[in-house]
Amino acid sequence: MSTPFPFTAVVGQDDLRLALLLNAVSPAVGGVLVRGEKGTAKSTAVRALSALLPAVDVVTGCRFSCDPAAPDPACPDGPHEVEASTTRPARMVELPVGASEDRLVGALDIERALSEGVKAFEPGLLADAHRGILYVDEVNLLHDHLVDLLLDAAAMGASYVEREGVSVRHAARFLLVGTMNPEEGELRPQLLDRFGLTVEVAASREPDQRVEVVRRRLAHDDDPAAFAARWADEESAVRARIVAARTLLPSVRLGDGPLRQIAATCAAFEVDGMRADIVMARTATALAAWAGRTEVIAEDVRQAALLALPHRRRRNPFDAPGLDEEKLDETLEEFGGSDGGADDEPDPDPDPDGPGGGGQPPQDGPDDGSPAGDVPAQGEPSDDAQAPAGQGAGEQSPVRAAEPFRTKTLSVPGLGEGAAGRRSRARTEHGRTTGSRRPRGTLTKLHLAATVQAAAPHQLARGRSGRGLVVRRDDLRQATREGREGNLVLFVVDASGSMAARQRMSAVKGAVLSLLLDAYQRRDKVGLVTFRGSAAEVALPPTSSVDAAAARLESLPTGGRTPLAAGLLRAHEVLRVERLRDAARRPLVVVVTDGRATGGAEPVATAERAARLFAADGVASVVVDCESGPVRLGLAGRLAGELGGTPVTLDALRADSIAGLVRDVQGTSRRAA
């Protein structure tokens, strides 16, 4: 077994270490979500924490780690007559991103239940993590239904498994730690709220600290055992402090003064619900116990707010996490009081490593070739509108996006088999049952009626007696279910000079921002292709991070001609590459343009030929018609016809618009079905 990197040897990352230690003292705090760029010791710190947790006593032979002093009366392996117990280290269980629901919560052996009449239950990772740590790396990439399951278990302290009329319940109390890189996509606000604390981590920009990180990492890799021995005293001191804080925790008093400060702080920052108040109260109490005090003081409330509130203030993925510390201090001062020690001096030992820290250093133009009818409306600048001084030829400075709005539902026709999401119909592991099939591999969702129907004709040949139905393996049928999948929504945005007319680009950016928000809520991947001047570029390759797409959109300049064909061809190439990476994820192309094509030889005919490539591939598409003014050429509608997609105006894109919008994208339904 490899020797983990010592927790006390982690350079810097004080907030991360403190949040982890507070959960070790009081698991009721609700876990930690660690957000940060890659290579910032997120996983290293979490894995190191498990070595600091005190050993646990378990009932010998119990697969659910029951405490011999208070065994779970509802334990599936019980009832326990505690005659023998063993002591083992606290476990750290890792949940892989690709894990199934059965692997997480456990599974019933359906084949044994049908053929032998045995209700056999195989515990999952939630049972393994009981009284230890459950670690989810890249939690933002985990399927939503799995995140819901583990957060529910963490909140209730138990896991409930329901399978074909058999119910199993077992204790599941663990320290939940999730890590994520925001560049790869965000968690929904509802899921963010279920994590007790959050910490933002980043690599130090101080050369001395970076040198120390490298020095310690190399020393550990060269001789892990010797490196761990050098930090043994510091590790023992922190381990003892955790035990002492756990013992003191029930005696800590949260007075009316600090409690009023907690409520006032949550109200001042307009946090939804009451979970934040409860988490802050538990965190402040754990901070006091960690400092060796029996009274919660104002500094505990302040630190608890910095850990428990930043992620709860996000209303949508474009809101930056964080907390206004000046406003926080004003609120605490306004509602401060002497009750419960709220004005006492703060803890003189804020070091999360506790005593014996080893003295470690601080851490870690003319329109050539366009059709005669393709002219700007009166008062509109052409594609070659001159830019202000200091900008590139034909380029105009970026404009801010209009306010986002709730959009109509756009979906891909047919029935897919892509990753779970909320946009288009798909065959999934969850959803309504639509039929049955023979199992391919392990049977997970039994279709009972189909299984009985398959077995019934063979009962006489099998010598059926009064025992009941005789079922064999070949009779078993897997339930097929229909739910929703996430798609790849590829935005192809016209940023030419004609799009900048009459401040149209602000409305266009607002519409795209609205569609990005919709894609975030429906768990899609998004990409962004823009075209202007003489070429097209991939502003953002397909990603799960709508934050990155919104940032690129906000800084998008406009001006120049309209190389529509180049934009479509670049988008077609992006889809080709992405299809090789993930063939099951179906694309939806959203072209945002007024339909004009300028520049080059036969620009309109070339754009139409490029559009027909999408129709030939059966790619679902929508054209958002941005044309405005008294003279309208209807070019976007012609483009939609060549794409085999649906045209929709900016106004009709709104969910509350009177203009109707067909829910399923038309034009490719026969091919996709």
Side-chain angles (χ1 to χ4, degrees):
M1 182 178 178
S2 61
T3 303
F5 193 91
F7 187 84
T8 51
V10 174
V11 181
Q13 311 295 17
D14 292 339
D15 287 343
L16 170 58
R17 293 185 293 152
L18 178 60
L20 291 172
L21 289 169
L22 291 177
N23 275 271
V25 171
S26 175
V29 167
V32 186
L33 176 63
V34 187
R35 298 162 43 93
E37 58 197 22
K38 52 187 177 293
T40 49
K42 301 187 296 293
S43 300
T44 298
V46 175
R47 293 188 174 98
L49 178 67
S50 61
L52 295 178
L53 297 181
V56 295
D57 294 328
V58 298
V59 175
T60 301
C62 179
R63 299 174 297 166
F64 300 88
S65 301
C66 280
D67 185 351
D72 182 5
C75 176
D77 284 356
H80 296 297
E81 296 180 3
V82 182
E83 298 178 353
S85 63
T86 57
T87 302
R88 62 162 177 79
R91 293 173 178 161
M92 192 197 77
V93 177
E94 294 194 42
L95 174 62
V97 170
S100 65
E101 179 181 344
D102 289 341
R103 184 72 184 99
L104 176 63
V105 302
L108 295 172
D109 191 334
I110 299 176
E111 296 182 21
R112 288 188 61 192
L114 288 174
S115 60
E116 303 176 24
V118 177
K119 295 180 181 179
F121 177 72
E122 184 67 27
L125 295 178
L126 291 180
D128 293 342
H130 180 46
R131 305 176 67 195
I133 300 174
L134 181 61
Y135 172 50
V136 189
D137 194 12
E138 307 295 352
V139 65
N140 52 323
L141 304 182
L142 198 66
H143 287 174
D144 283 355
H145 73 281
L146 294 183
V147 178
D148 287 330
L149 286 172
L150 69 89
L151 290 177
D152 285 343
M156 296 185 296
S159 175
Y160 296 85
V161 185
E162 303 287 343
R163 291 291 188 275
E164 272 66 47
V166 179
S167 177
V168 175
R169 175 246 176 232
H170 64 83
R173 291 183 293 275
F174 47 81
L175 194 168
L176 176 63
V177 183
T179 59
M180 60 175 284
N181 183 347
E183 294 179 355
E184 297 175 337
E186 283 286 354
L187 280 171
R188 290 185 285 119
Q190 297 92 330
L191 299 181
L192 283 171
D193 183 56
R194 299 297 294 273
F195 280 93
L197 310 179
T198 188
V199 177
E200 296 277 342
V201 296
S204 172
R205 298 298 184 257
E206 293 293 330
D208 290 343
Q209 289 190 8
R210 297 177 73 97
V211 166
E212 187 62 24
V213 170
V214 175
R215 182 181 290 121
R216 295 187 187 186
R217 184 76 254 181
L218 294 178
H220 175 266
D221 292 346
D222 289 342
D223 193 343
F227 185 82
R230 286 168 46 193
W231 293 89
D233 292 342
E234 287 81 358
E235 294 281 287
S236 297
V238 175
R239 190 179 296 109
R241 187 172 176 182
I242 291 175
V243 174
R246 284 184 171 183
T247 303
L248 182 62
L249 184 65
S251 304
V252 177
R253 176 177 175 267
L254 177 63
D256 290 342
L259 189 56
R260 182 174 176 80
Q261 287 182 314
I262 290 172
T265 299
C266 293
F269 285 99
E270 300 179 354
V271 177
D272 294 335
M274 296 298 297
R275 184 175 286 115
D277 304 62
I278 297 171
V279 171
M280 273 189 65
R282 290 171 174 168
T283 304
T285 304
L287 280 163
W290 177 249
R293 288 184 270 99
T294 57
E295 295 283 346
V296 174
I297 63 174
E299 184 60 26
D300 296 330
V301 176
R302 186 182 192 279
Q303 185 65 60
L306 293 175
L307 293 172
L309 295 187
H311 59 303
R312 293 186 164 87
R313 298 190 61 244
R314 291 175 63 94
R315 294 297 190 273
N316 64 63
F318 313 127
D319 293 338
L323 212 60
D324 185 342
E325 295 193 32
E326 184 176 341
K327 179 179 179 180
L328 173 61
D329 291 335
E330 291 175 355
T331 303
L332 293 176
E333 183 178 354
E334 179 182 356
F335 291 90
S338 59
D339 181 34
D343 292 328
D344 292 346
E345 290 297 319
D347 175 26
D349 180 19
D351 180 11
D353 285 343
Q360 57 179 333
Q363 236 175 331
D364 290 15
D367 187 2
D368 56 344
S370 63
D374 189 9
V375 295
Q378 184 177 5
E380 288 190 11
S382 69
D383 285 349
D384 296 309
Q386 294 299 312
Q391 297 179 16
E395 180 174 316
Q396 303 179 30
S397 58
V399 297
R400 295 186 62 84
E403 286 297 317
F405 51 83
R406 188 167 62 91
T407 68
K408 289 283 189 179
T409 302
L410 306 177
S411 62
V412 179
L415 195 62
E417 294 183 343
R422 292 182 162 190
R423 184 172 297 279
S424 305
R425 295 172 54 221
R427 298 181 183 91
T428 61
E429 289 294 321
H430 301 271
R432 62 187 182 90
T433 300
T434 58
S436 64
R437 59 171 172 81
R438 291 182 181 273
R440 304 166 188 165
T442 304
L443 178 65
T444 56
K445 305 289 184 182
L446 178 71
H447 194 297
L448 186 58
T451 298
V452 172
Q453 186 176 5
H458 308 289
Q459 296 307 297
L460 291 178
R462 294 173 184 175
R464 174 187 176 186
S465 63
R467 296 179 302 166
L469 191 69
V470 179
V471 179
R472 295 180 179 174
R473 183 183 182 87
D474 290 342
D475 302 325
L476 300 178
R477 294 294 183 267
Q478 174 86 21
T480 57
R481 302 191 176 192
E482 182 180 311
R484 293 281 169 175
E485 67 176 359
N487 299 110
L488 166 59
V489 182
L490 182 62
F491 295 94
V492 186
V493 181
D494 183 348
S496 65
S498 65
M499 290 290 290
R502 301 183 179 184
Q503 299 182 342
R504 189 189 305 166
M505 203 61 193
S506 176
V508 168
K509 286 187 176 182
V512 177
L513 199 64
S514 304
L515 291 167
L516 283 171
L517 180 57
D518 181 69
Y520 163 77
Q521 294 169 340
R522 299 183 188 279
R523 313 306 290 166
D524 296 315
K525 291 182 69 173
V526 297
L528 179 62
V529 174
T530 64
F531 57 96
R532 56 178 294 273
S534 61
E537 65 172 342
V538 181
L540 183 71
T543 177
S544 295
S545 176
V546 296
D547 288 17
R552 303 289 174 88
L553 180 71
E554 191 68 27
S555 60
L556 180 66
T558 58
R561 297 178 178 175
T562 311
L564 177 57
L568 294 175
L569 291 174
R570 182 59 63 91
H572 189 267
E573 177 63 16
V574 170
L575 294 185
R576 185 190 68 82
V577 174
E578 194 64 21
R579 193 177 295 115
L580 295 175
R581 294 173 177 169
D582 186 358
R585 188 181 290 269
R586 299 186 296 161
L588 172 63
V589 175
V590 180
V591 185
V592 185
T593 181
D594 56 11
R596 291 175 177 163
T598 62
E602 299 183 341
V604 175
T606 305
E608 290 176 349
R609 287 196 296 269
R612 286 194 287 269
L613 294 175
F614 292 85
D617 290 342
V619 176
S621 61
V622 171
V623 178
V624 180
D625 185 357
C626 301
E627 195 173 26
S628 62
V631 179
R632 302 195 181 192
L633 306 176
L635 298 175
R638 286 173 52 188
L639 175 63
E642 298 293 346
L643 286 166
T646 302
V648 56
T649 64
L650 282 174
D651 290 338
L653 192 62
R654 297 176 180 271
D656 54 358
S657 172
I658 297 177
L661 177 65
V662 180
R663 285 184 172 271
D664 291 334
V665 179
Q666 302 296 318
T668 57
S669 57
R670 289 191 298 273
R671 177 182 176 90

